[in-house]
Amino acid sequence: MKLDAKIPGGPIAEKWDRHRFELKLVNPANKRKFNIIVVGTGLAGGSAAASLAELGYYVKSFCIQDTPRRAHSIAAQGGINAAKNYANDGDSIWRLFYDTVKGGDFRAREANVYRLAQISNNIIDQCVAQGVPFARDYGGLLANRSFGGAQVSRTFYARGQTGQQLLLGAYSALNRQIAEGRVEMFPRREMLDLVIVDGKARGIVARNLITGESERHVADAVVLCTGGYGNVYFLSTNAMACNVTATHRAYKRGAYFGNPCFTQIHPTCIPVHGDTQSKLTLMSESLRNDGRVWVPKQKGDTRAPSQIPEDERDYYLERKYPSFGNLVPRDVASRNAKDQCDAGKGVGETGLAVYLDFADAIKRDGQDVIEQKYGNLFQMYEKITAQNPYETPMMIYPAVHYTMGGLWVDYNLMSTIDGLFVLGEANFSDHGANRLGASALMQGLADGYFVLPYTIGGYLTGTDLQPVSTSHAAFEASEQLITAQVDKLLSIQGKRTVDDFHRTLGLIMWDYCGMSRNDEGLNKARQKIQELRGEFWENVLVPGQGSDFNQSLERAGRVADFLEFAELMIIDALERRESCGGHFNEAFQTQENEALRDDDNCSYVSAWEYQGIDAEPVLHKEPLEFENVKLAQRSYK
Amino acid sequence: MTKNINLTLKVWRQKNSSAAGNFERLEAKDISTDMSFLEMLDIINEKLTLEGKEPIAFDHDCREGICGQCGSVINGRPHGPEKGTTLCQLHMRHFADGDELVIEPFRARAFKVVKDLAVDRSPLDQLIQAGGYISANTGAAPDANALPISKETAEMAFDAAACIGCGACIAACPNASAMLFIGAKVSHLNLLPQGKSEADKRTLGMVRKMDTLGFGNCTNERECEAECPKEISITNIARLNRGFIKASLFSSEK
């Protein structure tokens, strides 16, 4: 199948308007006849389900948590970008577009990113109308800050809890539709298969996580908003239940997977403390606005930070990147922290940490100003580490945070399976090889509030959708497959727990497919993953029963998928013969150790087609054309 | 400083919502004080699994204190002894070697036990559905700066909006009242100019829904405020009560 991104013609600034005009409309009276399944209730899923229901569609919404208010969008701290230019500092839609394409290391689709920048302003309006309590200035107008590698102040924020407040906005809109009977909510459900009838996505089979029963749901279209796959590394900043299952199983049903090797390692996380750690905690990147990153100049310096005089400190980001300093993009900041620690200059008990120091900011602005800006973050840091960052520098280290890869989608956010739409972190589309700070919230809400509600109408009117019942053979086959897998997992009764396998997989991925990669390591990792997968299906120990609330069984299914999916990430990393953004292959670097792209040969999206568990997937390439942004080596010097 | 401690746990075990439950005694050995409480439970669960027993079911997700999915009662206190802290952010350094910990689910008439420590808090969603929103369809919003809101008002609304919906206030209340939960939501939305047009409807709707769902009423015990991991103030309940009286007397909303 040839990939067609369906990018509308015309100048970039007019594409979305033109497309919206050209999309066929659904008669308002007919909208209620269409059933749409939305899986996931984060920013993308919550906003999509609410907006579709407001338009009149009948929506079934699913989430794995006990309520739709908990998805991991809630943990986003720093903010959401928009091109409002309220700060009068030269921002514009064009600049947000340009920064996002450049920040993504020129591996995103121009038309999608431009649309994202256009819509960004509507998002802020919508959220304020819902009652999201964004930060304000004394005059009562909205406050902005600069964030994550941007030289303009375009980030809107709600203390350090922006994701929470935006998600509660979408959740309240969703609940309003539930109350009106237009959305039927299914919490504690996990989608375990996508059902395809006549080549179109027509439903899902989900497991009721309390009773263990399989439930069949028919729809005219299925929308996946199931987040990213960062938990393939076991330790990440993702919530414990974040997983790849929904998107991976859609991939196995024929949806192409885009750029799976593009993973973001976030520079400012609390360092790992020991082998029993279950997850990592992000310290918002906004801290880099006021915090200064440094390590001792001397290797193996074990003095307390307060004992190291100013001239024996290396503020390496300020030294290497004088114009961006501590605000370089995430991939650059992370790799530099790793380089310092690899060179023996890391601090703390493990030597795998660098300092993020607020002493100068506190001296300049006063502790009350810093507390106002970052109080909850400082408090969280102290709770976890028992150290007071007002008095001693924070210690930070990079951690897996976000996955730019995801199911391939066209301009309409439809995957290669007709009627299967993919939104938010679950798709690949807008961030290229590296996501800029405060862009994830923007993308999730753009997709859900303002893109899908239009594009799905175009699909529904233009498609012949015959009635399908839950007794269709395709549902029967999916349910049998799921039941067989559950039975198998419970019957192995081996010697290693699910978490034990997951931890082992995570270490392989972190060591060989993390911040820095090379062909030898990737090949080794591929073999190790195959072996681990083999062992999993012979030696995993899953307690309890299938007809029960069984959290070990839930995790076992997810880890089984990670064990397959991890190999796809490795294959993709091996295939891409360049370094870009979150993918850094040591063979491709400049003399200054920066990522070296190969625009002539590698300006493409890799979209992988499944062929079987042990078979090589087939690569399809979507060439990326840059007509509006000039390709250049990223420089933050 | 990191050190290791030994603890005795008495954990509530209950197969499902209709089964009877009981306490099970478990030893937690060699627990690093750098671990979080939930990481300690992870260790116990790994051990139970390898012994061929069923691990303890408990809800959790973000482990950053923001999603609101975790929560159990530790020695009589929802989310444990540390003020302003969710269970996932409670670290073992706050316990001493040899401590005995009684671990129970959040108990309330409106919350059914799903299994062990996991409970069904869906009545909280039903409360939100009774008015915890501003009716603003996607696309209908004016420019975000068209309506200035004083910093003071925005901050007060934010303080109320910080609720994570964990249900600790209800578990802490002798009457299992949800007044702090709805007081916080009503305050968040009614304080803001965007929320004013539906203020009375919201207040009446949420209070009445609370009564029908089996939550008790507020008798000023203040346990909710003391145990709230986000330290939501009971002034939100006072504001709710004022609004309720006013709406009951003067509003045309029924």
Side-chain angles (χ1 to χ4, degrees):
Chain A
M1 189 173 100
K2 195 175 173 321
L3 285 173
D4 179 2
K6 301 208 174 76
I7 299 168
I12 194 157
E14 292 165 21
K15 284 180 193 292
W16 179 230
D17 276 354
R18 171 194 287 227
H19 190 59
R20 282 194 297 172
F21 177 71
E22 285 169 359
L23 281 167
K24 286 195 204 107
L25 297 173
V26 183
N27 177 327
N30 285 339
K31 281 185 181 148
R32 74 176 74 93
K33 294 180 191 156
F34 287 110
N35 294 323
I36 299 168
I37 284 174
V38 180
V39 186
T41 55
L43 288 178
S47 61
S51 302
L52 291 171
E54 286 166 9
L55 286 172
Y57 295 110
Y58 187 74
V59 177
K60 284 183 170 183
S61 167
F62 296 79
C63 69
I64 52 177
Q65 298 86 356
D66 67 333
T67 135
R69 66 180 291 156
R70 310 226 193 272
H72 201 53
S73 307
I74 207 160
Q77 297 166 356
I80 177 166
N81 285 332
K84 286 280 195 185
N85 193 31
Y86 284 162
N88 195 32
D89 55 359
D91 201 11
S92 62
I93 290 170
W94 191 273
R95 190 178 293 279
L96 176 54
F97 155 68
Y98 178 85
D99 285 355
T100 306
V101 172
K102 178 188 171 198
D105 219 355
F106 306 95
R107 291 294 173 264
R109 197 188 279 152
E110 271 192 347
N112 284 54
V113 179
Y114 193 86
R115 174 177 65 187
L116 178 68
Q118 281 177 301
I119 291 171
S120 67
N121 292 338
N122 304 80
I123 297 171
I124 304 302
D125 299 342
Q126 182 62 30
C127 293
V128 168
Q130 288 169 343
V132 170
F134 283 119
R136 287 175 184 271
D137 293 326
Y138 284 101
L141 302 177
L142 291 158
N144 291 119
R145 63 183 171 200
S146 85
F147 190 83
Q151 288 180 313
V152 291
S153 289
R154 63 160 69 104
T155 303
F156 294 77
Y157 62 100
R159 294 189 195 157
Q161 291 135 268
T162 316
Q164 180 199 26
Q165 294 307 319
L166 296 176
L167 184 64
L168 293 181
Y171 162 79
S172 68
L174 175 64
N175 270 298
R176 178 171 153 240
Q177 296 305 314
I178 294 171
E180 293 192 13
R182 294 202 188 110
V183 174
E184 193 178 354
M185 187 67 226
F186 295 88
R188 292 203 198 262
R189 302 296 201 290
E190 180 157 29
M191 169 186 154
L192 291 182
D193 207 359
L194 175 74
V195 178
I196 297 173
V197 177
D198 296 335
K200 301 179 195 87
R202 293 305 303 272
I204 63 168
V205 179
R207 181 171 186 269
N208 179 323
L209 297 180
I210 294 180
T211 64
E213 281 163 304
S214 287
E215 298 173 345
R216 305 176 183 188
H217 298 274
V218 174
D220 296 299
V222 175
V223 184
L224 297 187
C225 310
T226 52
Y229 46 87
N231 272 349
V232 70
Y233 293 87
F234 187 73
L235 285 181
S236 79
T237 64
N238 287 188
M240 301 300 285
C242 292
N243 66 77
V244 76
T245 290
T247 47
H248 183 65
R249 294 190 184 186
Y251 162 67
K252 290 173 81 168
R253 289 283 174 199
Y256 293 2
F257 212 105
N259 294 336
C261 82
F262 287 168
T263 48
Q264 178 162 85
I265 318 276
H266 194 292
T268 52
C269 300
I270 298 178
V272 177
H273 64 65
D275 321 327
T276 54
Q277 190 149 358
S278 60
K279 76 153 278 167
L280 298 171
T281 302
L282 175 77
M283 286 284 103
S284 168
E285 171 166 47
S286 62
L287 294 168
R288 286 199 278 145
N289 285 345
D290 287 298
R292 300 180 69 195
V293 177
W294 64 275
V295 291
K297 278 185 181 162
Q298 202 185 323
K299 270 190 206 175
D301 189 338
T302 55
R303 288 177 291 176
S306 58
Q307 302 303 310
I308 301 177
E310 197 62 27
D311 62 350
E312 292 178 40
R313 301 175 175 190
D314 181 10
Y315 295 89
Y316 58 89
L317 290 177
E318 297 172 21
R319 173 173 56 80
K320 289 176 72 178
Y321 308 97
S323 75
F324 277 69
N326 295 297
L327 293 175
V328 290
R330 293 175 174 177
D331 54 335
V332 178
S334 291
R335 259 199 318 279
N336 273 282
K338 181 180 188 290
D339 290 347
Q340 296 298 329
C341 294
D342 288 352
K345 295 181 185 173
V347 298
E349 278 179 44
T350 58
L352 289 175
V354 299
Y355 289 126
L356 179 63
D357 199 334
F358 292 88
D360 289 342
I362 290 170
K363 208 183 295 169
R364 184 186 67 224
D365 299 337
Q367 182 163 330
D368 51 333
V369 171
I370 297 300
E371 195 173 336
Q372 173 93 20
K373 281 188 187 167
Y374 311 114
N376 67 319
L377 299 170
F378 277 38
Q379 195 186 23
M380 182 156 78
Y381 182 85
E382 186 168 2
K383 268 183 194 149
I384 295 171
T385 62
Q387 289 187 341
N388 178 355
Y390 293 106
E391 288 164 9
T392 183
M394 281 186 181
M395 282 191 278
I396 52 162
Y397 196 65
V400 174
H401 179 57
Y402 187 91
T403 52
M404 281 73 69
L407 290 178
W408 185 90
V409 289
D410 63 17
Y411 189 74
N412 295 314
L413 303 183
M414 190 162 86
S415 70
T416 53
I417 297 174
D418 282 352
L420 178 70
F421 292 81
V422 190
L423 277 56
E425 191 179 352
N427 76 26
F428 88 100
S429 74
D430 294 2
H431 306 298
N434 173 57
R435 181 174 66 73
L436 287 179
S439 287
L441 304 183
M442 174 171 69
Q443 186 224 337
L445 290 179
D447 289 359
Y449 282 135
F450 295 110
V451 181
L452 180 81
Y454 295 97
T455 59
I456 203 169
Y459 169 75
L460 293 169
T461 40
T463 308
D464 177 28
L465 292 159
Q466 296 295 320
V468 170
S469 96
T470 52
S471 54
H472 191 281
F475 276 97
E476 199 62 44
S478 282
E479 191 169 328
Q480 276 175 16
L481 196 74
I482 291 164
T483 310
Q485 194 195 43
V486 166
D487 290 348
K488 171 78 177 160
L489 285 168
L490 289 165
S491 69
I492 298 166
Q493 291 298 309
K495 294 202 162 36
R496 290 181 70 183
T497 63
V498 174
D499 282 8
D500 188 2
F501 278 102
H502 194 177
R503 223 176 257 281
T504 308
L505 173 67
L507 277 176
I508 297 170
M509 292 302 285
W510 179 246
D511 287 345
Y512 300 110
C513 195
M515 268 185 283
S516 188
R517 303 158 178 184
N518 61 56
D519 289 1
E520 190 194 342
L522 288 166
N523 280 311
K524 197 186 308 181
R526 187 170 180 192
Q527 197 188 340
K528 280 171 176 259
I529 291 164
Q530 289 168 349
E531 287 164 11
L532 191 67
R533 191 164 67 226
E535 192 197 337
F536 177 86
W537 286 105
E538 285 170 4
N539 197 26
V540 73
L541 173 55
V542 184
Q545 291 131 29
S547 56
D548 194 5
F549 184 61
N550 187 339
Q551 293 170 309
S552 305
L553 179 62
E554 288 170 28
R555 288 202 300 277
R558 294 169 199 159
V559 172
D561 290 332
F562 278 135
L563 282 164
E564 292 176 12
F565 180 74
E567 197 176 345
L568 183 65
M569 292 172 67
I570 303 275
I571 291 169
D572 188 48
L574 279 166
E575 194 280 331
R576 187 167 282 279
R577 307 315 296 163
E578 64 168 350
S579 293
C580 55
H583 168 66
F584 187 82
N585 186 327
E586 289 156 12
F588 308 102
Q589 53 182 311
T590 65
Q591 290 197 326
E592 292 151 320
N593 308 110
E594 305 291 350
L596 184 62
R597 294 196 322 267
D598 178 355
D599 292 330
D600 291 338
N601 299 301
C602 298
S603 288
Y604 62 85
V605 176
S606 58
W608 295 93
E609 182 184 4
Y610 182 72
Q611 301 290 317
I613 292 173
D614 295 312
E616 290 289 320
V618 171
L619 174 64
H620 302 263
K621 290 182 181 178
E622 179 200 337
L624 292 169
E625 278 155 37
F626 295 91
E627 293 166 350
N628 299 279
V629 171
K630 196 167 161 291
L631 285 165
Q633 171 79 31
R634 284 190 308 171
S635 172
Y636 295 96
K637 290 197 180 295
Chain B
M1 273 312 282
T2 307
K3 57 173 186 173
N4 287 354
I5 54 174
N6 299 316
L7 303 158
T8 304
L9 313 180
K10 283 170 71 181
V11 183
W12 185 257
R13 304 305 300 264
Q14 182 173 337
K15 179 120 186 69
N16 53 47
S17 57
S18 50
N22 62 285
F23 282 103
E24 182 179 10
R25 199 183 163 85
L26 295 164
E27 299 299 323
K29 289 210 180 337
D30 219 20
I31 299 299
S32 156
T33 51
D34 275 344
M35 272 183 212
S36 70
F37 195 90
L38 300 186
E39 285 169 351
M40 185 270 294
L41 288 182
D42 290 342
I43 301 271
I44 303 285
N45 276 347
E46 287 291 281
K47 186 161 168 280
L48 288 170
T49 303
L50 290 170
E51 288 168 356
K53 297 176 189 154
E54 274 219 48
I56 305 157
F58 65 95
D59 272 323
H60 62 98
D61 200 15
C62 77
R63 298 203 177 190
E64 294 179 24
I66 194 76
C67 78
Q69 181 141 332
C70 72
S72 300
V73 176
I74 314 302
N75 289 347
R77 300 192 58 184
H79 292 295
E82 277 293 295
K83 195 165 165 48
T85 305
T86 57
L87 193 60
C88 63
Q89 295 281 284
L90 175 66
H91 280 67
M92 297 311 290
R93 65 180 77 95
H94 300 292
F95 298 97
D97 192 40
D99 278 358
E100 182 176 285
L101 307 182
V102 180
I103 308 172
E104 300 169 80
F106 282 178
R107 296 187 196 276
R109 189 147 66 101
F111 294 164
K112 279 202 200 100
V113 171
V114 172
K115 187 176 181 179
D116 298 340
L117 305 175
V119 295
D120 175 9
R121 287 166 288 188
S122 57
L124 299 182
D125 293 329
Q126 291 174 265
L127 289 174
I128 299 294
Q129 284 151 26
Y133 50 77
I134 289 173
S135 299
N137 277 4
T138 304
D143 184 84
N145 258 348
L147 185 64
I149 301 171
S150 77
K151 192 175 171 73
E152 191 193 354
T153 303
E155 294 288 324
M156 273 202 304
F158 194 110
D159 287 340
C163 168
I164 57 173
C166 64
C169 49
I170 294 141
C173 176
N175 310 323
S177 171
M179 285 290 272
L180 189 64
F181 177 78
I182 59 172
K185 187 44 67 185
V186 164
S187 292
H188 161 210
L189 298 177
N190 288 9
L191 279 165
L192 294 170
Q194 305 92 302
K196 293 243 190 279
S197 51
E198 292 171 291
D200 290 343
K201 183 165 182 265
R202 173 176 305 117
T203 306
L204 295 173
M206 291 184 81
V207 171
R208 285 171 184 159
K209 189 71 182 178
M210 185 182 83
D211 293 341
T212 66
L213 289 172
F215 292 101
N217 212 335
C218 173
T219 49
N220 276 316
E221 310 285 334
R222 308 189 67 152
E223 296 285 343
C224 53
E225 182 185 60
E227 301 298 356
C228 173
K230 296 296 149 186
E231 303 182 292
I232 306 271
S233 160
I234 59 158
T235 54
N236 291 299
I237 297 181
R239 193 178 289 115
L240 174 70
N241 282 331
R242 280 201 304 277
F244 183 75
I245 292 167
K246 200 173 114 231
S248 306
L249 292 176
F250 304 115
S251 169
S252 57
E253 292 289 343
K254 289 285 168 269

